[in-house]
Amino acid sequence: MDGTTKKRSRPSRGAAAPISMTGFGSAHLEGKGFAVEVEARSVNHRFVAFNLRMPMELGLAEPEVEERIRKQIQRGSVTLTVQLRRLAAPPPTAVVDVAQARAVLAALRKLSKDLKLPAKITFDQVARAPGVLVSRAASNAPDPAIQALALRGVDQAMSQLVASRKREGAPSPPISARGSP
């Protein structure tokens, strides 16, 4: 070595204002028959961490929500809560498959004939057969309108959170510039 010492230097951050890791943002949006409420909070954390609380209807949107948070936050622990509220009565959830009911009835009659067993086939037997009464909720298909509105709410809440973090991190004006109380 030549006897000189090298100083480690931190990369220049430019003239950017400091940003706090503590922030809050919220959004309230209404769509056809439902409302979405989103609340985002962040606190100090060395890396980016998420705690997402979302209803089951939005479970498939979780990766997209995380991606949207990552685009706006480089550090901090973010807790994001999404709540859905129905403003109108939900649509009927049971659908009768009449063709399936007829097929079940025909199958029960054939079974009775093939086994040479007398059978008194009842309405209850046919109605309880698989596929005769079908629940729409069983499809697990997310409602695209609810998902789109929830993602808009996430974007709004995160924008507010980022603005809040910038305000929190901004230097306070000198006491002489604040004026008297």
Side-chain angles (χ1 to χ4, degrees):
M1 289 249 194
D2 61 359
T4 61
T5 58
K6 291 185 179 180
K7 276 187 164 182
R8 286 187 179 176
S9 62
R10 292 186 177 176
S12 172
R13 293 187 183 183
I19 297 176
S20 172
M21 282 190 259
T22 303
F24 175 81
S26 65
H28 175 86
L29 301 168
E30 290 188 11
K32 268 190 164 177
F34 58 90
V36 174
E37 295 198 27
V38 181
E39 187 176 279
R41 297 175 182 273
S42 69
V43 295
N44 189 14
H45 193 277
R46 190 173 184 180
F47 304 104
V48 177
F50 306 110
N51 182 7
L52 303 179
R53 297 178 185 151
M54 302 189 316
M56 287 181 10
E57 295 95 331
L58 298 174
L60 295 176
E62 191 169 314
E64 187 166 351
V65 169
E66 286 185 8
E67 181 182 327
R68 288 172 185 234
I69 293 172
R70 280 188 200 280
K71 284 183 180 178
Q72 296 194 45
I73 303 291
Q74 286 72 44
R75 286 184 64 196
S77 175
V78 177
T79 299
L80 187 106
T81 305
V82 179
Q83 294 181 339
L84 296 178
R85 187 170 37 95
R86 294 231 178 251
L87 301 175
T93 59
V95 177
V96 177
D97 186 339
V98 177
Q100 178 68 10
R102 286 187 179 123
V104 167
L105 180 60
L108 289 173
R109 286 180 177 157
K110 182 177 182 329
L111 181 62
S112 171
K113 182 179 174 185
D114 289 351
L115 296 177
K116 296 181 176 135
L117 295 172
K120 181 179 174 187
I121 301 167
T122 67
F123 171 80
D124 285 345
Q125 290 170 319
V126 174
R128 291 175 191 238
V132 174
L133 292 175
V134 181
S135 170
R136 285 192 187 153
S139 71
N140 290 334
D143 184 336
I146 292 175
Q147 190 165 337
L149 195 66
L151 291 173
R152 272 189 29 224
V154 167
D155 290 341
Q156 286 182 14
M158 288 305 299
S159 292
Q160 284 184 16
L161 181 135
V162 168
S164 159
R165 287 170 61 145
K166 285 180 181 175
R167 281 191 310 275
E168 181 78 22
S172 300
I175 294 175
S176 60
R178 292 184 199 165
S180 56

